[in-house]
Amino acid sequence: MASKLKSTKELMVFLGKSMIAFLVSMIFIIVPRPRKNVAGEIVLITGSGSGLGRSLALRFARLGSVLVLWDINEEGNEDTCRMVREAGATRVYAYTCDCSQKENIYRVAEQVKKEVGDVSILINNAGIVTGKSFLDCPDELMEKAFDVNFKAHLWTYKSFLPAMIANNHGHLVCISSSAGLTGVNKLADYCASKFAAFGFAESVCMETIAQKLKGIKTTIVCPFFIKTGMFKGCSTAHPFLLPALEPDYVADKIVDAILQEKIYLNLPKFISFLMFLKSFLPVKVSVLLTEYMGALNVMDGFVGKNKKN
Ligand SMILES: NC(=O)c1ccc[n+]([C@@H]2O[C@H](COP(=O)([O-])OP(=O)(O)OC[C@H]3O[C@@H](n4cnc5c(N)ncnc54)[C@H](O)[C@@H]3O)[C@@H](O)[C@H]2O)c1
């Protein structure tokens, strides 16, 4: 009897809290959500030497943040460093770091703590793509994809999360991908690494909620193709529904999601609708939908950044 009462009470509390959360989210459809101030926050961006990482760095520079830029590409990172200074950042620190190497991450992270301070916004953005079908993909390239796209997130969190917990203040940002939500032909290693990054970031988010660490926020980003050259040669089957995205547009949306402390950001929004359909459609219809949306041949023309054509 007591346990029945307890479970009825739990159900009522759950329904009550859900109702309030639902109403609050409805209100924020009409009223703009408050945005936090990131001036003076120490923002670390991995993969800042080009593409999305550089666009993000420029935006945080304009918002008055202290920037810590990590990339394996020293030259590209120095260019970003110069550009963010021109954009108004007064404190910018560039480090050459190979995010596929755990020891390298730990060493550079210690250097950052000594030279700059506690990182309060960590953006795991560095990424690579192999673009081959599974059996054609050499082991070392698959391992590298996992090291950069997923395992680097483990080591950066281990390095910077303890101080965020001690200060009860921090924001963890995971740049996953729409390929972290659904399988794609010729992206087996990439999809697996992006699914892993998503699952890891979401699990740590659940840990912070369970431990009532209210000051630690999480944002997980799943964009479709971005015109940075990473997926050069690939084409989208239905540009009206799933367009290739401009890096500036994606960077604006990510920064806005961070400032609003949103947990999930799928770009374009249509990705969320596709995932919703996939969750209940009969499997065969879901596969047909996946095929219609281009997941079987989207990589056919893939050239990528490293190959010349
Ligand atoms: N471009 C897209 O279509 C697309 C779509 C969805 C998600 N993403 C993700 O967005 C992120 C940014 O990609 P992008 O499009 O700007 O590509 P990009 O190639 O322009 O940028 C990736 C950056 O990561 C750096 N990097 C690669 N290996 C590294 C390593 N071992 N250590 C440190 N830095 C390393 C590169 O030097 C580069 O500056 C990636 O995680 C990518 O998977 C990209």
Side-chain angles (χ1 to χ4, degrees):
M1 184 65 183
S3 74
K4 207 172 176 186
L5 267 176
K6 189 172 170 256
S7 59
T8 310
K9 191 182 157 203
E10 276 173 2
L11 178 66
M12 296 313 285
V13 170
F14 159 70
L15 289 174
K17 283 186 173 175
S18 301
M19 189 77 83
I20 293 167
F22 186 76
L23 287 174
V24 169
S25 62
M26 289 298 109
I27 290 168
F28 282 132
I29 291 177
I30 309 157
V31 181
R33 268 180 202 272
R35 274 133 175 101
K36 67 181 174 188
N37 181 1
V38 291
E41 300 284 346
I42 302 181
V43 181
L44 189 157
I45 304 170
T46 69
S48 50
S50 66
L52 185 58
R54 177 175 289 166
S55 298
L56 289 169
L58 283 165
R59 276 149 187 80
F60 280 102
R62 291 183 202 120
L63 292 168
S65 305
V66 177
L67 281 153
V68 180
L69 308 173
W70 282 17
D71 207 291
I72 195 171
N73 173 359
E74 190 174 352
E75 207 184 314
N77 214 22
E78 284 304 328
D79 285 346
T80 305
C81 195
R82 181 182 43 75
M83 290 163 83
V84 295
R85 283 213 175 93
E86 284 167 10
T90 47
R91 290 183 65 201
V92 189
Y93 303 82
Y95 296 86
T96 302
C97 180
D98 181 352
C99 290
S100 70
Q101 304 289 325
K102 178 169 77 171
E103 296 315 325
N104 202 181
I105 290 177
Y106 283 161
R107 186 180 52 74
V108 182
E110 282 311 309
Q111 222 180 320
V112 170
K113 286 183 220 172
K114 279 195 202 109
E115 294 171 1
V116 191
D118 291 336
V119 168
S120 51
I121 302 181
L122 168 64
I123 306 181
N124 271 303
N125 164 76
I128 53 170
V129 60
T130 319
K132 294 179 188 299
S133 53
F134 172 61
L135 291 178
D136 294 334
C137 192
D139 292 2
E140 58 278 13
L141 288 188
M142 286 197 277
E143 280 171 4
K144 192 71 137 186
F146 260 80
D147 289 339
V148 179
N149 297 352
F150 162 55
K151 282 159 99 183
H153 299 206
L154 307 178
W155 321 135
T156 53
Y157 274 44
K158 278 241 166 127
S159 300
F160 299 112
L161 183 56
M164 291 184 188
I165 293 174
N167 301 330
N168 195 25
H169 179 74
H171 202 133
L172 303 160
V173 183
C174 165
I175 307 298
S176 178
S177 169
S178 55
L181 300 169
T182 189
V184 181
N185 180 26
K186 293 191 185 165
L187 278 181
D189 60 332
Y190 184 80
C191 285
S193 67
K194 291 293 184 181
F195 268 73
F198 187 111
F200 167 67
E202 193 175 52
S203 301
V204 174
C205 175
M206 294 304 141
E207 274 191 31
T208 61
I209 293 168
Q211 292 172 24
K212 299 193 174 19
L213 296 167
K214 293 202 167 133
I216 315 289
K217 308 295 174 188
T218 297
T219 298
I220 307 172
V221 185
C222 294
F224 185 62
F225 285 141
I226 313 166
K227 293 179 196 166
T228 57
M230 187 185 209
F231 283 90
K232 193 174 162 198
C234 297
S235 54
T236 163
H238 301 286
F240 176 69
L241 297 171
L242 283 181
L245 306 165
E246 294 296 335
D248 281 346
Y249 167 81
V250 177
D252 282 341
K253 289 285 182 190
I254 294 172
V255 171
D256 210 38
I258 295 170
L259 300 186
Q260 292 183 59
E261 300 181 337
K262 282 187 182 171
I263 297 182
Y264 302 105
L265 177 67
N266 293 342
L267 291 171
K269 270 196 177 149
F270 189 66
I271 296 275
S272 307
F273 180 62
L274 287 176
M275 291 306 109
F276 170 68
L277 291 180
K278 195 182 167 188
S279 68
F280 69 89
L281 283 175
V283 177
K284 279 194 176 165
V285 181
S286 178
V287 172
L288 284 169
L289 177 67
T290 306
E291 188 176 354
Y292 176 72
M293 293 315 303
L296 301 191
N297 47 22
V298 75
M299 292 295 290
D300 285 354
F302 175 73
V303 180
K305 271 196 166 173
N306 298 324
K307 294 179 203 164
K308 295 189 172 57
N309 58 346

